[in-house]
Amino acid sequence: MGVLIMGTLYIRARLVNAYRRIFPHPAVVAMRERRRVANKAVVSTKRRDHAAIMAKAAQLRGEARD
C-alpha cells in the first residue's frame, strides 16, 4: 500500500512541477524580473566604472609622456 501512495505522490509532484514551469506564480515572475533588472544595473555600473578607470589611465599615460 505504501509503495502505491509513494508512486502516486511522485507522479503528482512531477505534474505540479511541470505545471509550475508552464504557469509560474505571479510572485515568482515578479521576483525573476526584479533580479533581472538588478543584474542589469550591476553590469551597467561595472561598465561605467571600467570606462572611467580606462579614461583616467589614458589621461595619466598622456601626462607621463609629456
Side-chain angles (χ1 to χ4, degrees):
M1 184 69 184
V3 174
L4 182 63
I5 292 172
M6 293 301 291
T8 305
L9 289 175
Y10 175 76
I11 292 169
R12 180 181 177 277
R14 295 284 305 257
L15 289 171
V16 168
N17 289 341
Y19 181 83
R20 285 184 182 152
R21 264 194 301 275
I22 297 168
F23 303 108
H25 191 277
V28 173
V29 173
M31 182 179 64
R32 287 179 188 158
E33 181 64 16
R34 282 194 303 274
R35 190 177 304 143
R36 187 186 68 80
V37 169
N39 285 341
K40 201 172 176 182
V42 167
V43 169
S44 159
T45 301
K46 284 184 179 178
R47 283 189 184 141
R48 193 173 347 139
D49 291 348
H50 179 74
I53 290 168
M54 290 296 122
K56 186 65 174 176
Q59 179 188 359
L60 292 173
R61 279 195 303 269
E63 290 175 2
R65 286 189 198 133
D66 297 338

